[in-house]
Every structure is written in C-alpha cells, then in structure tokens.
C-alpha cells in the first residue's frame, strides 16, 4: 500500500487540512494564539478545542519571556514532562519535571489521604526556579496551586496551562483562572489531558523558533 | 474552595458519571470491552469514543494470554511507554519501550528519508519478545508493521492497539486491521493518541486485576 513516508510532508499537509477545516473560525484568534489552537487540534483531531481554548491576553508573551530567562517547568504527569521536546527546552536552559511518581510524595499523600498531585504541587510551587506549570490531569493540582498563590505563599508564575481532563472537579478547577491576574491558557469544560498540555507548550516554543530561529 | 481531595473518591465518582451518561449505549459492548470504552472516555472526556472504538473478537483474551507469558510492549511514542503503569506491567514480567528517540533510529530515518516511526517499528517487530504493539501517533508505524506481518517477515502479534491520531493517513492506517486476522483494538477515523493507547492497555490490565487480583 502506498502512503506518505516523509515526516515533513505529513506535518505540512496536516496543518493545511486543519487550516482549511477551521475556515473563518481561524480569524477569531490572534496571531500568537492561532498556532496553539492549530497544534492542539493536530494532537487531538478534535476541532471542538477551537471553541474550548481560552487565553489570558499576556499568556504567550509572559511564557516566552520566562523561557528566555531559563528555569523549570512543572508537569502534573510524567507523561507531560516526557512528551515535551527536551532538545528545544534545553536550548533555553529549561528542564521539565514531575513529582507524582516520587516515592516521598506518594508516602506523604497516603499519610494525609490526599492525591499525590496535591503533594507534588506543593513541593514544586515552592521551588523558585519553577516558572511554568502544565496541569493536564489533576484538578487537585490546579486548585492547590491557586490556593498557594492566593495566600501569598507562592509568587504568580509566568504561565499556568490549566487543562486537566475529567469528570470530577476538572471544569470547576479551570474556572478559577480567568480574572485571577495569572497568565494562563485553559481548556474550558471536561476536555484536556497530557497530550493537550504538551501541544500548547510546543505551540509556544515553535513560535519563538519561527520568530528568531535558534 | 472545597474540592474532593481523595483519589479513590474521584475515580469512583468519575466512572459513575461516565456510566450514567453512556446510558443504553453501554449495553452494546461485551463485558470485556465495556471497561476499556469507559476508561478511554475517562481519559479523554470525549463520549464520541464509544462510537469510534472497534475490537476484534479475540483482542482482549489474546492480550491477557500474552501478558501472562511475559514479554515486551512496543510503543510508537515515548509518552505511551512512559504513561503505562510500570508497577503493574512488572508484575507480569513485562516492559514497555519505544525506539523513536533512539539516536541510531533517527540517523537511519534521516538517511532513508522516512519517518523515525518506520525505522523504530522495523527494529521492534523483529524482536520476538515484542508481543503487543501500541500505536498512538504514527500511521506509518502501523502501515509498516502490517506490511511486515503480511510478507511473513514478522509473526502475528498478540495485539495491535491501532489508535494513531491525525489528518494524513491516520484513518486509512486503521482500516487495514479489521478482517486481517490480527487481534486488534482501533479507534476509527482521525481521533486517538498516546493517552488513548495507554488507557486501552490499562483497561485490559485492570480487568486481570479484577478477575484474579495479583
């Protein structure tokens, strides 16, 4: 059977199809947001994300500024940390990490009867090098991070990507970001997930690449 | 803000909601397939998967038999290999791996002008310990695997989870499995992805756990 075998051809053709099917809806996004919307659709094959993604005005620029200063990205799943392009992050002096599989985090979570996501987030948020947060799984991680910021224990980060997927708490957790003054990108409602979180950050990284090269 | 913090409560309540919203559609799946359908919806918050998932009759039993004999799972992304429960797989003497980030694979792919997914799949399929294939990203990986099986170079595996997501070749690649005589689980159309692949395998692993404990 004949099939396209060249990676560059596949990627280009995919984005042409997405652009064509998005149609006029593409015009409702700014030039910083549209590449992110398209990349999320590329990752999920789900055009509903064009209606569900919401950006704070400063989200992309705040993230780009933070990336250029070096630092760390906290991910609420190991899959997100693993899915991010290490090579590209490395060029900015950035690394991505998750603590949900950390044995000490697991032990403390069990003792306290809370999710590992809560305990992992508490440790990550108190590390001043952690400037960007990607939350694709656990509403509890997002709730806890917001509590720590509101109470002043933790500074406002450069960006929160709030895209936990699910049926219990996911929608509600994402509603706490709009109006908070924290740079954020969210997926409204139940949808989201690890691959969505990765594609949002890649959608920002590729913009820097396009603007400036490396 | 009050939110559910106990992981067990969150999981149970999520599956109650999924079951209730699936309604009568749940009755169209066998007792082996329904837990997989529900787990994919749990992972994506997308009920469309109940219409898109397709199982060969022998898929679940063939996978369970293979799991009990020990072996390896090849994953077409590092995210899938990373997202699988290492602890649970370890109990079966199983490991999961991916070769798409392997430097030698990358080198060969560049030289041949094909995707790294094709080269990685060729190496994995020729390893006789690899009995289960999870393909969540690259149609080219699925096409190549099927070619190798059809030509007799590679034996029929115990299970192919064929859920590549995307716009170029993804739908077509999945259509080659029904009627092939290879145990398979697919997502028809464009949707799928790494998190979907992981949730399908977990949906099988948890069934063994429920039937037999560990």
């Amino acid at each position: 059977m004949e099939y396209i075998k060249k990676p560059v051809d596949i990627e280009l053709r995919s984005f042409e199809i997405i652009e064509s099917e998005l149609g006029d809806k593409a015009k409702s996004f700014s030039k910083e947001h549209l590449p992110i919307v398209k990349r999320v659709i590329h990752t999920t094959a789900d055009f509903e994300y064009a209606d569900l993604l919401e950006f704070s005005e400063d989200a992309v620029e705040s993230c780009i500024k933070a990336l250029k200063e070096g630092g760390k990205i906290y991910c609420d799943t190991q899959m997100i940390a693993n899915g991010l392009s290490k090579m590209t992050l490395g060029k900015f002096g950035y690394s991505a990490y998750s603590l949900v599989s950390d044995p000490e985090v697991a032990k403390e979570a069990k003792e306290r009867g809370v999710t590992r996501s809560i305990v992992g987030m508490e440790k990550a948020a108190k590390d001043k090098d952690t400037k960007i947060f990607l939350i694709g799984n656990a509403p509890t991680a997002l709730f806890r991070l917001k509590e720590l910021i509101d109470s002043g224990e933790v500074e406002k980060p450069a960006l929160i990507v709030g895209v936990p997927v699910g049926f219990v708490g996911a929608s509600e957790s994402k509603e706490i970001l709009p109006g908070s003054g924290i740079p954020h990108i969210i997926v409204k409602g139940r949808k989201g997930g690890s691959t969505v979180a990765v594609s949002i950050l890649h959608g920002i990284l590729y913009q820097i690449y396009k603007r400036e090269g490396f």
Side-chain angles (χ1 to χ4, degrees), chain A residues 40-176:
Chain A
V40 171
I41 294 171
H42 179 256
T43 292
T44 57
D46 186 347
F47 282 89
E48 204 191 340
Y49 280 100
D51 300 314
L52 299 177
L53 277 157
E54 205 170 277
F55 303 79
S56 72
E57 210 47 61
D58 53 353
V60 173
E61 291 310 322
S62 171
C63 180
I64 290 178
K65 183 170 173 283
L67 281 167
K68 290 183 174 174
E69 289 165 357
K72 292 195 245 177
I73 300 178
Y74 183 68
C75 310
D76 83 323
T77 69
Q78 200 62 50
M79 275 186 94
I80 300 176
N82 197 270
L84 292 172
S85 169
K86 265 161 238 29
M87 205 175 68
T88 311
L89 287 181
K91 287 178 182 163
F92 291 103
Y94 252 80
S95 62
Y97 72 113
S98 179
L99 294 172
V100 279
S101 305
D102 185 280
E104 279 184 38
V105 166
K107 187 167 167 270
E108 183 177 333
K110 205 171 179 183
E111 284 166 5
R112 289 168 52 191
V114 299
T115 65
R116 291 181 298 164
S117 302
I118 288 178
V119 180
M121 180 55 80
E122 288 169 356
K123 291 190 193 299
K126 285 167 189 168
D127 175 345
K128 283 187 188 306
D129 290 334
T130 307
K131 297 170 186 169
I132 297 167
F133 292 85
L134 304 186
I135 304 172
N137 178 56
T140 56
L142 185 45
F143 281 125
R144 190 70 189 111
L145 175 57
K146 179 74 167 29
E147 282 176 347
L148 291 166
I149 297 166
D150 288 346
S151 68
E153 288 171 83
V154 161
E155 273 181 47
K156 275 185 193 174
L159 179 69
I160 299 178
V161 173
V163 296
V165 61
F167 296 86
V168 176
S171 297
E172 296 82 349
S173 74
K174 292 178 272 195
E175 282 164 19
I176 63 178

Side-chain angles (χ1 to χ4, degrees), chain A residues 145-214:
Chain A
L145 175 57
K146 179 74 167 29
E147 282 176 347
L148 291 166
I149 297 166
D150 288 346
S151 68
E153 288 171 83
V154 161
E155 273 181 47
K156 275 185 193 174
L159 179 69
I160 299 178
V161 173
V163 296
V165 61
F167 296 86
V168 176
S171 297
E172 296 82 349
S173 74
K174 292 178 272 195
E175 282 164 19
I176 63 178
L177 289 174
S180 66
I182 305 164
H184 64 271
I185 301 173
I186 62 167
V187 167
K188 288 176 286 181
R190 290 168 166 178
K191 286 186 177 176
S194 294
T195 51
V196 172
V198 168
S199 63
I200 290 172
L201 199 82
H202 283 173
I204 297 175
L205 287 170
Y206 296 147
Q207 286 188 53
I208 310 180
Y209 179 78
K210 270 202 166 176
R211 284 191 209 174
E212 311 179 13
F214 279 102

